[in-house]
Amino acid sequence: MPNLDKFDIGILEALQGDARATNVEIAEKVNLSPSPCLRRIRNLEKSGVIRGYRADIDRKEVGLGLTVFVEIKVGQHSKANSELQQAALIAMPEVTGAFLISGTADFLAEVVVEDLSAYERFLTEKLLVLPGISDIRSNFAIRTIKTNSPLKLPQR
């Protein structure tokens, strides 16, 4: 983890607020001149702190009206089986987030699809065919309250 100072934190906060802001705009917000600001942004990108830039798309506006949080339990716990399940989840475009968790399940996946029929196809054609799965529980989101929020960054 790179050692982030107050300028780096300020840059990250500015980019979280508006990733399309110009370097000059960001430099003004953090009280740097444009050249050092751009150098810091490039270093944050190179070090992996900034992983990329993307549009925040409204799921419903593009026809993705169903979000399901899927708890997945595996039957045989092993490093190889865990890696297999992780690779499978990563490869599924419907899975927008996936976590190795503790508790009653082993994995928690956020799945975004068009509707219940699409989720049934996803479940039967992609999840249930994975080897080593012993249980799957689907939790359907009723309403989205908060998503894709900026991270609360530590202050330096």
Side-chain angles (χ1 to χ4, degrees):
M1 181 177 102
N3 190 16
L4 304 176
D5 64 16
K6 70 176 185 172
F7 295 109
D8 295 324
I9 297 294
I11 289 167
L12 294 171
E13 286 174 341
L15 286 170
Q16 283 191 118
D18 181 5
R20 294 179 64 173
T22 67
N23 179 55
V24 171
E25 292 169 335
I26 295 168
E28 287 174 4
K29 284 184 180 179
V30 298
N31 296 318
L32 282 174
S33 59
S35 284
C37 183
L38 184 59
R39 197 167 31 255
R40 284 173 176 269
I41 291 171
R42 296 294 178 244
N43 286 338
L44 291 166
E45 292 168 346
K46 198 179 308 179
S47 69
V49 172
I50 297 174
R51 296 185 301 191
Y53 303 89
R54 67 185 73 137
D56 184 8
I57 299 170
D58 186 304
R59 297 170 181 194
K60 287 186 180 175
E61 292 296 322
V62 295
L64 297 170
L66 186 63
T67 300
V68 186
F69 296 94
V70 183
E71 299 174 31
I72 302 166
K73 187 165 182 55
V74 297
Q76 297 289 330
H77 289 95
S78 70
K79 183 177 180 186
N81 196 18
S82 178
E83 289 172 352
L84 178 72
Q85 305 309 329
Q86 290 176 51
L89 291 170
I90 289 168
M92 296 175 189
E94 299 90 347
V95 176
T96 61
F99 305 89
L100 179 63
I101 62 171
S102 65
T104 57
D106 298 303
F107 295 95
L108 179 66
E110 179 180 11
V111 176
V112 179
V113 292
E114 294 89 341
D115 53 27
L116 193 55
S117 295
Y119 180 67
E120 181 183 10
R121 283 190 305 279
F122 172 80
L123 179 65
T124 58
E125 295 172 13
K126 292 189 176 183
L127 284 184
L128 291 175
V129 298
L130 292 175
I133 301 293
S134 66
D135 190 28
I136 294 176
R137 296 188 187 266
S138 304
N139 301 284
F140 296 89
I142 307 277
R143 178 186 313 140
T144 300
I145 297 168
K146 182 177 181 180
T147 62
N148 301 327
S149 296
L151 297 173
K152 182 188 177 307
L153 298 171
Q155 298 302 308
R156 306 271 184 215

